[in-house]
Amino acid sequence: MIDPATYGAVSGQALYDETYENFKSFVNPPLARVMKVSGSPVEVRASGTTIWDHSGKAYLDFAGGYGVFTLGHMHPRVVAAVRAQLELMALSGKTMFDPLTGRLARALAQWAPGDLSISFFANSGTEAVEGALKLARAATGRAKIVATHGAFHGKTFGALAASGREAYREPFAPLLPEVVHVRYGDAAALAAEIGGAAAFIVEPVQGEGGVVVPPLGYLRDARALCDRAGALLIADEVQTGLGRCGYAFGCDRDGVVPDVLTLAKGLSGGVMPIGAYVARPAVWNAAYAKAPLAHTSTFGGNPLACAAALAALEVLADEDLIANARARGEALLAGARTIAAEYPSVVREARGLGLLVGVELRNEGYAGTIVPEMLKAGVTAAWTLNQQRVIRLEPPLIVTQEEVTRALAALRTAVHAARERLGALPETDDA
């Protein structure tokens, strides 16, 4: 347990009261009230797969920062790399070459499929998507972007325009023009719209869309359709990349090389904010050969973030975490499906790929009981943004079988409590 005085508070409760009041008054008042009602504590320390709150209670982290904490919290090798770099230089002056930016770009070229080899570094996933969309328009001279219903690509203007839930787009309309959406996983629907497009942007697995896994071959079909139409294929791997789905990248499941691949979340192993897109040289040069400063970022590719990402990639390989994600993910999905079979009136189905598993409920009202009950049992979980009847289980790739078993036990207890407390609710679909 951490001493509350570390945060300048006289007690754990005082720290909670102060934090809640600050969020209610200065951060996000309505969200603060919802979090308080749901029993959300104050996080004060984390290590590995565990988070500790203001009272000293430990939680097994199966929300995983929505995919950020691939290596768990505070992986010692990544933290050490950042500390060492901090002694040399924290931010780049931008008027000279930076060695770590170059090293990370080289490392990503070695990791990425096919001839993807030119990297642009940003600070988040939505920034990476913005850059990829700009690249596609500049490289092709076209404006139209095709995306999918249910997609989530971020909440800045271009990324939001490509995202597939109207509830998020409508308050900010008009957004980026000439963006159309097609049914996810449906190659025929894509074929009807891809003509004249600059790009098709797609997630290999829809995370916020409710952990939707497309049919095998979908990305291969998309690749062929894009080639035929002269459009670029952008694989949004912000959540699915770097081992999350039991592959180095989600597009590896279909053996597809996209024209542009976006990354963020787990790129630094959960220590520093960083995003990136990696492009084929021909695509990059078509866009920026004559205008190399047309798209830039002041803080993107800073030395601390690059140091973290380089160390994280080494850990991902050295600890064989992609194989662990696949094995533990199979056990997690099998256990979730067993619970679904035991409680069919509450759970519609469980699905996923690797350590990205979604539990779809018959009615989203059950989630309001299940997530807090799991928290009481010492396990974090979260619903997906675009389908709030789907509970996401997304632990770090370092998770053990014993921890998977613990999380499944908490899920079973929470589902049982929801059934006993709420009975049979009518089936619903998300808007």
Side-chain angles (χ1 to χ4, degrees), residues 49-76:
T49 57
T50 305
I51 301 174
W52 286 267
D53 74 7
H54 64 282
S55 70
K57 181 177 178 178
Y59 300 84
L60 181 60
D61 186 9
F62 263 62
Y66 315 114
V68 168
F69 298 106
T70 51
L71 309 186
H73 295 264
M74 302 288 287
H75 193 287

Side-chain angles (χ1 to χ4, degrees), residues 15-196:
L15 181 62
Y16 177 88
D17 293 342
E18 174 207 336
T19 303
Y20 171 67
E21 288 300 321
N22 285 339
F23 270 69
K24 185 179 72 172
S25 299
F26 307 113
V27 179
N28 190 327
L31 179 61
R33 295 185 181 97
V34 169
M35 291 177 68
K36 184 174 185 179
V37 168
S38 68
S40 178
V42 173
E43 57 188 8
V44 296
R45 184 169 66 89
S47 178
T49 57
T50 305
I51 301 174
W52 286 267
D53 74 7
H54 64 282
S55 70
K57 181 177 178 178
Y59 300 84
L60 181 60
D61 186 9
F62 263 62
Y66 315 114
V68 168
F69 298 106
T70 51
L71 309 186
H73 295 264
M74 302 288 287
H75 193 287
R77 284 176 60 179
V78 181
V79 171
V82 173
R83 283 177 174 157
Q85 180 57 39
L86 187 58
E87 295 296 322
L88 297 174
M89 192 174 192
L91 294 176
S92 170
K94 292 295 183 180
T95 60
M96 304 178 187
F97 289 117
D98 170 46
L100 294 190
T101 300
R103 289 176 184 174
L104 179 56
R106 175 183 284 272
L108 286 178
Q110 293 168 345
W111 273 85
D115 61 345
L116 291 164
S117 58
I118 307 295
S119 289
F120 177 91
F121 296 109
N123 307 284
S124 66
T126 194
E127 288 179 53
V129 168
E130 292 284 345
L133 295 176
K134 288 178 66 178
L135 179 69
R137 284 187 161 188
T140 64
R142 301 172 177 179
K144 181 179 177 181
I145 302 293
V146 182
T148 61
H149 294 299
F152 184 84
H153 299 295
K155 290 181 179 175
T156 50
F157 267 73
L160 183 59
S163 291
R165 190 179 186 202
E166 186 59 30
Y168 292 132
R169 296 196 307 266
E170 190 275 331
F172 306 103
L175 294 168
L176 190 69
E178 297 191 56
V179 178
V180 298
H181 292 83
V182 298
R183 181 180 173 87
Y184 182 71
D186 186 339
L190 175 60
E193 289 288 355
I194 195 63

